[in-house]
Amino acid sequence: MDEHKSWAVKNEAVLEDLVTLMGLTAEEKALLASLKGKAEGVTTRLVDSFYERLLSHANTAEYVGDKVDRLRKSLTDWFIELFAGNYGQEYVQSRLKIGKTHVRIGLPVRYPLAMMDVVIKYGEEVANQCDNPAKVKEAFNKLLALDIAIFNQAYEDAQLKHLAEMVGNERLARRLLTQESQI
Ligand code: HEM
């Protein structure tokens, strides 16, 4: 199996790689920033739907427990920050830290990824309150895709790190994760 250029991208560079890939334009950033107030207007319902679903499923409810008030605030801030208009290193680092929090509590990645549909629904609601919903949706979807990628990166980083420690080097760990039998 060949080496891939992406394998050499590490730490801070991973985040730059993703932001570059998404190609958010200055116009898209400004558009999202202009909608912060409207985003704030949907957060109560977004957070209600989000935790109603997590709490009605035993496998997810056990992670939430009595932390629900704190988590409601975290999710509200997280959603509003999607409309920050500035998506540099600091933004991406803070999103990576959120991903790592979920790794640390032993939450399978399928749950945060599956919950993105609630976020999409309310992002669309914000977009539909604007003159140009299609443009807003396009920009919002990029931001959400960036978040999904970062969530996933946090999980992959943890798996790779532990496997590399076990087998002695990262290259071998990457090959094992691709299930290559020929090493
Ligand atoms: C769209 C998906 C999700 C988003 C955006 C999200 C967002 C957040 C944020 C912003 C925090 C605070 C993190 C920090 O301060 O480092 C957090 C913590 C937490 N999240 Fe999520 N979350 C998501 C999915 C889930 C799911 C599906 C569960 C459980 C089934 C969950 C359970 C928790 C718990 C238990 C914490 C607190 C961890 C701790 O500090 O001990 N999250 N989440």
Side-chain angles (χ1 to χ4, degrees), residues 50-51 54 59-65 67 70-71 73-79 94-95 97-102 104-105 107-108 110-117 119 144 147 151:
F50 195 92
Y51 289 105
L54 288 187
N59 289 349
T60 47
E62 78 165 353
Y63 288 94
V64 177
K67 298 187 197 71
R70 174 157 66 89
L71 295 182
K73 166 87 174 80
S74 298
L75 190 69
T76 301
D77 294 347
W78 175 89
F79 184 75
S94 82
R95 308 308 254 194
K97 183 175 158 281
I98 292 166
K100 285 181 179 165
T101 298
H102 294 83
R104 185 173 42 77
I105 62 170
L107 180 71
R110 65 179 177 277
Y111 295 129
L113 299 189
M115 291 308 289
M116 291 293 175
D117 83 304
V119 182
L144 210 53
D147 245 280
F151 246 105

Side-chain angles (χ1 to χ4, degrees), residues 18-65:
L18 280 175
V19 172
T20 310
L21 173 72
M22 300 317 290
L24 262 175
T25 64
E27 189 194 357
E28 286 174 320
K29 292 179 197 174
L31 187 58
L32 288 168
S34 72
L35 298 173
K36 205 170 172 186
K38 289 193 166 54
E40 282 164 358
V42 304
T43 51
T44 305
R45 283 178 300 112
L46 157 67
V47 169
D48 283 349
S49 322
F50 195 92
Y51 289 105
E52 198 179 297
R53 190 193 286 174
L54 288 187
L55 290 169
S56 62
H57 184 64
N59 289 349
T60 47
E62 78 165 353
Y63 288 94
V64 177

